[in-house]
Amino acid sequence: MSKHLLNYVNGQWVASKAAEYLPVINPGTAEHIADASLSPAEEVDAAARAAAAAFREWRRVPAPDRIQFLFKLKRLMEDNLDGLARSCTEECGKTHRESVGELRRAIENVEVACGIPMLMQGRNNEDIAQGIDEHMFRQPIGVAAMIAPFNFPAMIPFWFLPYALATGNCFIVKPSEKCPVTQQRVFELVDQLGLPPGVLQLVNGAKDTVDAILDHPDIRAISMVGSTPAARAIYARAAANGKRAQCQGGAKNPVLIMPDADMETATRILSDSAYGCAGQRCLALSTGITIGGARESFRECFSEATRARRVGYGLDDSAETGAVISAESKARIERLIGVAESEGARPLVDGRGQKVPGYEQGHFVFPTLLDGVPHQGEIARTEIFGPVFSLMHAETLEEGIAMVNDRAYGNMACIFTASGAAARQFRTEVRAGNVGINIGVAAPMAFFPFSGWADSFFGDLHGQAEHAVEFFTETKVVVERWPKAWSRKF
Ligand code: NAD
């Protein structure tokens, strides 16, 4: 593959006429692996027009025929899974095992969308009045676009793409400019599907390309995943332009550790949540609130697990934690650890300034455990997006829940306990859209919606499952009457 990534528009690979390209860097090796074009507005326009033209025919292709393309896509993704996973690792730094995991979830969304002939069924009532029936149909909205973040380069477009396609829409993917390579490979598979030109398209770029998408009159719906400031801005601009939008934002996910929790199991699960994917999951747990007597035992177990975690290049089998996305990100994370210290926190394990032998140029931050992070401070509220876990303490479950609810984000909250009553109280009262009970990464399966709340989500309908089906369809209600007297006699 050439280093200059291409756009895929109207069924053709096309080189962008962008004046500028951004280098894509392997964060584990610092090697320059590709260049992402900053596609200008004319190229977004070409894709949107091709999609609008394709939509006229595509929406009338029967749903059972549309899903045949998804069955084929699933097979191609299975056959190419290892290569796609390697590409994820090379561009975003996570371990190969983690990349395989994200590919599995991407494929799972394809599988779920294959149920669209049933999932998009409407409903009806006979005789709402004498001789009158009423029906509700679901129809595709037209052209939709998705704007992706860097941290799951394979999976996140698939929270939307299979549902948009299956419900009869045309769809444009704008990958992250930091990690655009895996979608290029995914579209090499899309190119083999034999879809009508314009149904699925890929346009590379960054903010200006996104703005052209948000302002384009032919694009009716926007799905976006990224940081909260970007999600908020994109949601506002899409809504101001009369578009339907769903924008998933950032996170700062807390976990309560109750004194009755099995500390060994909790530690094993939580260290993977906090330090897996180098802390760059929107469902990474980053704050541990110990309750009552859990403080000492958890601190001791977790310090040991933090020190033991193996950091390395994602394609090396032994690595448990890979690189963070960039040199800037590494510098920011290390600076924020310093801010925590200035707020009175104590690093029990300090991962700053360390190198992985053989990968000295890589952007690695080693797992870091901070104790005594003040609840009202900056670090308690800032999404660090790195392998840094903050410890806090509360005396009671109620106090812990109040701390969880006193924050802007609402992506995920978890509890570790042996008490069903405590778990039930937590599940009921906590202000978060994804809840884990003795689970460290409560990632909804593809047949459930990905339910972020508060500053972690702008919109009404989330990605995946029936929410995605509703998002990509409009309801049409038909009220009909057929008086017998009008019928011709045969
Ligand atoms: P980001 O916000 O920098 O970029 C996300 C996308 O938005 C990119 O495609 C980028 O080109 C575009 N973008 C960024 N700023 C923009 C602007 N001002 N105007 C228009 N477009 C803009 O996010 P990132 O660094 O790529 O990803 C990490 C973030 O994503 C973290 O905050 C993480 O929590 C979040 N995230 C959230 C979820 C979720 O489900 N809630 C999932 C994954 C990642």
Side-chain angles (χ1 to χ4, degrees):
M1 193 200 299
S2 136
K3 272 199 179 169
H4 269 197
L5 300 178
L6 301 173
N7 293 335
Y8 185 75
V9 175
N10 207 15
Q12 304 287 328
W13 287 106
V14 285
S16 171
K17 296 196 172 59
E20 224 187 309
Y21 278 76
L22 287 182
V24 181
I25 305 294
N26 178 330
T29 61
E31 187 195 348
H32 175 185
I33 52 175
D35 291 296
S37 60
L38 300 181
S39 304
E42 307 86 85
E43 291 170 8
V44 170
D45 181 55
R49 282 166 185 270
F55 177 63
R56 290 193 278 275
E57 302 279 324
W58 179 243
R59 59 164 298 206
R60 302 309 307 274
V61 173
D65 295 344
R66 290 197 299 258
I67 62 170
Q68 298 311 315
F69 294 99
L70 290 179
F71 284 113
K72 200 166 167 190
L73 181 58
K74 171 187 156 62
R75 176 53 37 225
L76 286 168
M77 289 174 81
E78 296 281 5
D79 291 348
N80 291 277
L81 195 140
D82 187 61
L84 291 168
R86 289 180 77 84
S87 163
C88 275
T89 292
E90 283 166 358
E91 66 177 337
C92 93
K94 64 180 64 171
T95 67
H96 186 258
R97 189 176 56 84
E98 291 166 341
S99 296
V100 169
E102 81 159 278
L103 256 308
R104 289 254 58 97
R105 183 54 51 87
I107 293 171
E108 191 184 291
N109 275 284
V110 176
E111 292 165 351
V112 170
C114 286
I116 225 70
M118 280 188 81
L119 289 171
M120 76 180 291
Q121 279 176 346
R123 55 193 171 85
N124 46 50
N125 282 63
E126 204 174 38
D127 292 327
I128 52 150
Q130 191 73 53
I132 300 180
D133 305 327
E134 185 159 343
H135 312 278
M136 189 203 82
F137 297 99
R138 289 199 172 278
Q139 295 194 329
I141 44 178
V143 181
M146 108 62 46
I147 297 148
F150 79 80
N151 62 330
F152 286 91
M155 175 184 75
I156 286 181
F158 280 80
W159 288 350
F160 313 99
L161 180 154
Y163 306 96
L165 183 87
T167 49
N169 296 280
C170 295
F171 195 68
I172 301 169
V173 176
K174 200 298 283 174
S176 162
E177 62 277 23
K178 294 173 204 156
C179 293
V181 179
T182 305
Q183 282 305 308
Q184 188 95 167
R185 292 187 189 271
V186 166
F187 270 77
E188 286 168 3
L189 307 181
V190 166
D191 190 40
Q192 298 172 39
L193 295 178
L195 275 166
V199 171
L200 282 184
Q201 302 182 93
L202 178 75
V203 179
N204 288 289
K207 182 183 184 306
D208 290 349
T209 311
V210 174
D211 287 346
I213 290 172
L214 298 176
D215 293 345
H216 201 288
D218 286 342
I219 299 176
R220 299 273 331 278
I222 301 293
S223 306
M224 181 270 183
V225 181
S227 59
T228 289
R232 198 192 298 274
I234 289 173
Y235 186 74
R237 191 158 175 162
N241 285 329
K243 298 184 198 311
R244 188 177 284 195
Q246 48 178 193
C247 299
Q248 301 187 201
K252 179 88 182 175
N253 302 309
V255 53
L256 299 195
I257 302 111
M258 299 293 287
D260 62 0
D262 177 324
M263 291 301 160
E264 226 173 86
T265 310
T267 296
R268 181 173 47 75
I269 295 172
L270 292 181
S271 65
D272 194 57
S273 175
Y275 306 134
C277 292
Q280 299 177 131
R281 284 188 189 113
C282 66
L283 294 181
L285 285 167
S286 54
T287 305
I289 304 171
T290 50
I291 306 293
R295 189 186 227 163
E296 303 300 326
S297 51
F298 182 71
R299 187 165 52 194
E300 198 177 309
C301 285
F302 209 70
S303 302
E304 210 175 293
T306 304
R307 270 185 220 100
R309 185 108 189 150
R310 289 191 300 272
V311 181
Y313 181 45
L315 291 179
D316 287 349
D317 286 345
S318 61
E320 294 174 318
T321 288
V324 299
I325 186 65
S326 62
E328 295 73 34
S329 170
K330 175 179 158 75
R332 175 180 172 274
I333 295 164
E334 295 192 339
R335 182 182 63 74
L336 288 171
I337 297 170
V339 172
E341 281 182 302
S342 69
E343 290 186 333
R346 191 164 61 96
L348 298 176
V349 184
D350 189 343
R352 288 174 291 188
Q354 299 196 49
K355 293 202 182 299
V356 171
Y359 300 98
E360 284 77 7
Q361 304 306 314
H363 311 310
F364 294 95
V365 179
F366 280 50
T368 296
L369 180 59
L370 301 169
D371 194 20
V373 174
H375 174 58
Q376 294 303 339
E378 183 186 336
I379 289 307
R381 278 146 213 285
T382 304
E383 180 180 41
I384 297 177
F385 224 51
V388 179
F389 194 72
S390 301
L391 286 174
M392 296 181 193
H393 186 71
E395 281 311 317
T396 62
L397 172 62
E398 289 70 21
E399 200 190 319
I401 291 174
M403 284 165 75
V404 167
N405 289 346
D406 175 30
R407 75 219 147 90
Y409 296 113
N411 216 32
M412 182 183 76
C414 299
I415 187 169
F416 276 70
T417 182
S419 157
R424 189 164 187 273
Q425 183 177 348
F426 181 82
R427 182 185 85 183
T428 308
E429 294 179 7
V430 89
R431 195 172 62 100
N434 299 295
V435 171
I437 296 173
N438 297 318
I439 295 287
V441 179
M445 297 289 283
F447 33 91
F448 286 93
F450 193 104
S451 295
W453 283 13
D455 279 5
S456 298
F457 182 67
F458 303 88
D460 309 290
L461 295 164
H462 298 86
Q464 297 198 149
E466 73 276 17
H467 274 220
V469 176
E470 277 193 54
F471 184 80
F472 290 114
T473 54
E474 303 214 75
T475 52
K476 179 178 275 181
V477 174
V478 178
V479 184
E480 66 180 10
R481 168 192 277 140
W482 292 105
K484 229 176 176 178
W486 295 357
S487 300
R488 277 213 245 126
K489 292 216 165 57
F490 293 102

